[in-house]
Amino acid sequence: MECVFGLVGNGFAVVVADSSAVSSILVHKSKEDKVMVLDPHKLMGASGESGDRVQFTEYIQKNVALYQFRNGIPLTTAAAANFTRGELAAALRKSPYHVNILLAGYDKETGPSLYYIDYIAALHKIEKGAFGYGSYFSLAMMDRHYHSNMSVEEAIDLVDKCILEIRTRLVVAPPNFVIKIVDKDGAREYAWRESIKEAGVAPA
Amino acid sequence: MSRRYDSRTTIFSPEGRLYQVEYAMEAIGNAGSAIGILAKDGVVLVGEKKTTSKLLQTSKSTEKMYKIDDHVACVVAGIMSDANILINTARVQAQRYTFAYQEPMPVEQLVQSLCDTKQGYTQFGGLRPFGVSFLFAGWDKNFGFQLYMSDPSGNYSGWKAAAIGANNQAAQSMLKQDYKDEINREEAIQLAVKVLSKTMDSTSLTSEKLELAEVFLAPSGEVKYQVCSPESLGKLLVKVGVTQPAAEAS
């Protein structure tokens, strides 16, 4: 089942998500990217109802882009997080989106930051956080091994510890994970951790 | 029948003009003037007070300077009742932005949102346009100190030094001559007062006929909007040399 987690290091932030698209007991796909590159310096990791997840994160992405077109300046990570929270809160009393979000970003003035936004529109600025069944294990691992100002190597090492723990202790562990990083040079995919390959289509 | 095109705000005249908008600008040309100067370390706004009667009790210290948000202030030239409506919408816009993003609204966006409202009345509804020009002074983290001027047509532009209201062309050309880049706030105040003293109709400039406000950064880094008190304004006028201390005593 779903695992999305992230942490802030020295000059960067990391967001990790499983890449399984499931409905009930069936796995449709094991390479579904759940970490969106929101803009050149923001990552949005999301878990929840998959239709809501895609719809809502794209809606936020397009609105952040619209803001930049209109005003010529990008939103800061904090502003984007508050905007996202506002949209979730507005929808909450009408037709709520079931999405939990980890928003990571890098700003020139404030450096890297990570925000926790859940489907009932709570917003927290955090150093490390997680959503989904995987959170029980990844949060525990991060509580034990996280420290401030981690280097990229240390952070990825911790991410791998979390993934290993999820794979060994979670009954419904997803096979594959995607790791993305955002720092002063921008948001980008860092690596995949795959224990199964997507079955290729046999040549006709 | 040129009158046909006068009474409608939303219709072009055969020469391609919008008379009501031009008349609104004309109205502002008769209003008390105001000057804004962008300095290295802040923005200075100076306005001419038109006191109609000695018996008139003003409820507060400023009658044409308004704070819109913690980081933006404006000075008005034109019809005050129209301006009050616009200032109110500007304040609402600024708070809406803060509510959505938990950050102060960038100055240009605030000016733009207000000018969108102004523009609407030159095109829709058959109502008259707002008879107001503004000078906006503000600070934001992207572009630092800024000074904008807006007019009834909904146009706005950024300036280093600008003048609106009566005699604005004379004031503008004086500013053009005397403005220097790298000017500081103190010099900007002196320049603004000097220009206003020369372009105002009245012969002697006193602290009752003037108001002065500044937007600057406090040492703590927060944006400050400060209105000059009549007493210190009086001292300032003497220092700049536009009034004589002896004349004040007599």
Side-chain angles (χ1 to χ4, degrees):
Chain A
M1 295 291 262
E2 287 203 304
C3 311
V4 178
F5 60 97
L7 56 98
V8 180
N10 186 12
F12 68 96
V14 165
V15 179
V16 186
D18 73 281
S19 59
S20 297
V22 296
S23 58
S24 133
I25 60 160
L26 192 75
V27 178
H28 289 290
K29 189 182 175 189
S30 54
K31 258 204 132 175
E32 167 82 351
D33 191 346
K34 296 179 188 176
V35 186
M36 169 181 266
V37 176
L38 201 67
D39 80 0
H41 284 88
K42 286 175 198 76
L43 287 172
M44 182 172 262
S47 73
E49 206 63 49
S50 60
D52 282 3
R53 191 195 74 228
V54 173
Q55 184 75 11
F56 186 74
T57 53
E58 280 192 7
Y59 172 74
I60 297 298
Q61 183 188 43
K62 268 49 186 176
N63 272 285
V64 168
L66 177 63
Y67 181 98
Q68 187 161 0
F69 277 131
R70 271 189 180 157
N71 306 307
I73 40 174
L75 277 176
T76 60
T77 311
N82 278 289
F83 171 73
T84 307
R85 194 209 75 85
E87 292 300 315
L88 270 177
L92 185 62
R93 304 288 169 179
K94 292 182 195 142
S95 58
Y97 292 100
H98 194 275
V99 275
N100 300 308
I101 287 165
L102 282 179
L103 177 64
Y106 185 92
D107 301 292
K108 263 200 200 93
E109 303 90 46
T110 51
S113 55
L114 182 65
Y115 290 87
Y116 165 109
I117 308 159
D118 66 16
Y119 77 102
I120 35 182
L123 171 70
H124 301 294
K125 188 175 190 294
I126 52 171
E127 285 189 308
K128 56 194 196 297
F131 284 115
Y133 278 118
S135 70
Y136 299 110
F137 310 100
S138 51
L139 279 177
M141 286 312 270
M142 287 192 285
D143 281 342
R144 178 72 183 81
H145 297 290
Y146 179 85
H147 59 87
S148 46
N149 291 322
M150 289 179 100
S151 68
V152 176
E153 291 72 32
E154 287 174 313
I156 296 302
D157 193 45
L158 176 50
V159 166
D160 283 330
K161 280 196 177 85
C162 291
I163 293 173
L164 182 66
E165 192 68 6
I166 289 165
R167 280 179 181 158
T168 45
R169 288 293 177 184
L170 182 60
V171 181
V172 283
N176 300 340
F177 291 82
V178 59
I179 305 170
K180 291 193 186 181
I181 274 189
V182 58
D183 62 12
K184 64 177 183 355
D185 303 318
R188 60 191 177 276
E189 191 175 292
Y190 182 81
W192 283 78
R193 296 288 185 260
E194 292 168 298
S195 62
I196 58 163
K197 288 277 178 204
E198 193 110 293
V201 181
Chain B
M1 284 277 281
S2 67
R3 280 260 153 227
R4 280 169 60 188
Y5 304 99
D6 279 23
S7 54
R8 292 258 172 186
T9 56
T10 56
I11 290 182
F12 281 109
S13 76
E15 306 94 76
R17 292 156 65 178
L18 292 169
Y19 281 121
Q20 284 300 317
V21 175
E22 288 180 24
Y23 295 161
M25 292 190 199
E26 197 65 34
I28 293 158
N30 301 322
S33 52
I35 288 174
I37 297 178
L38 186 67
K40 224 171 32 185
D41 52 348
V43 194
V44 176
L45 297 175
V46 186
E48 175 193 358
K49 266 202 242 183
K50 284 223 165 153
T51 35
T52 44
S53 164
K54 279 200 164 173
L55 297 173
L56 189 70
Q57 179 87 59
T58 43
S59 56
K60 49 190 159 40
S61 60
T62 58
E63 59 183 52
K64 49 199 293 180
M65 309 268 182
Y66 290 86
K67 189 174 173 177
I68 290 172
D69 199 351
D70 285 336
H71 64 298
V72 189
C74 72
V75 58
V76 178
I79 304 168
M80 258 339 285
S81 48
D82 282 13
N84 284 328
I85 304 288
L86 288 171
I87 288 161
N88 193 37
T89 54
R91 285 176 175 164
V92 170
Q93 289 294 336
Q95 289 315 118
R96 277 210 183 119
Y97 186 98
T98 317
F99 177 57
Y101 301 107
Q102 299 292 312
E103 271 178 10
M105 189 169 188
V107 183
E108 188 173 349
Q109 276 181 57
L110 187 59
V111 174
Q112 199 171 49
S113 87
L114 202 67
C115 286
D116 287 348
T117 311
K118 281 190 178 188
Q119 189 282 141
Y121 285 85
T122 68
Q123 187 168 195
F124 301 112
L127 300 169
R128 71 170 170 82
F130 286 99
V132 191
S133 269
F134 284 107
L135 288 177
F136 292 94
W139 183 92
D140 65 46
K141 65 178 191 307
N142 286 297
F143 300 108
F145 292 109
Q146 290 153 76
L147 175 68
Y148 293 95
M149 177 169 76
S150 80
D151 70 17
S153 70
N155 267 329
Y156 74 90
S157 41
W159 294 83
K160 289 174 177 171
I164 52 174
N167 251 335
N168 69 77
Q169 279 169 347
Q172 197 87 50
S173 61
M174 281 180 71
L175 286 170
K176 199 170 163 186
Q177 219 147 57
D178 293 348
Y179 183 86
K180 286 186 273 300
D181 287 316
E182 304 291 300
I183 196 172
N184 66 30
R185 217 163 68 235
E186 209 184 312
E187 293 164 337
I189 290 172
Q190 288 179 12
L191 175 58
V193 170
K194 200 186 87 188
V195 170
L196 205 59
S197 73
K198 285 187 184 166
T199 55
M200 265 166 67
D201 290 335
S202 53
T203 43
S204 70
L205 204 56
T206 61
S207 57
E208 292 97 67
K209 288 180 188 157
L210 215 63
E211 49 192 49
L212 192 150
E214 301 162 74
V215 176
F216 58 97
L217 283 182
S220 63
E222 66 172 330
V223 190
K224 284 276 242 188
Y225 165 69
Q226 199 174 70
V227 179
C228 196
S229 70
E231 296 79 50
S232 50
L233 189 58
K235 282 182 201 148
L236 189 95
L237 290 177
V238 173
K239 200 180 130 198
V240 178
V242 288
T243 39
Q244 303 302 318
E248 252 191 339
S250 62

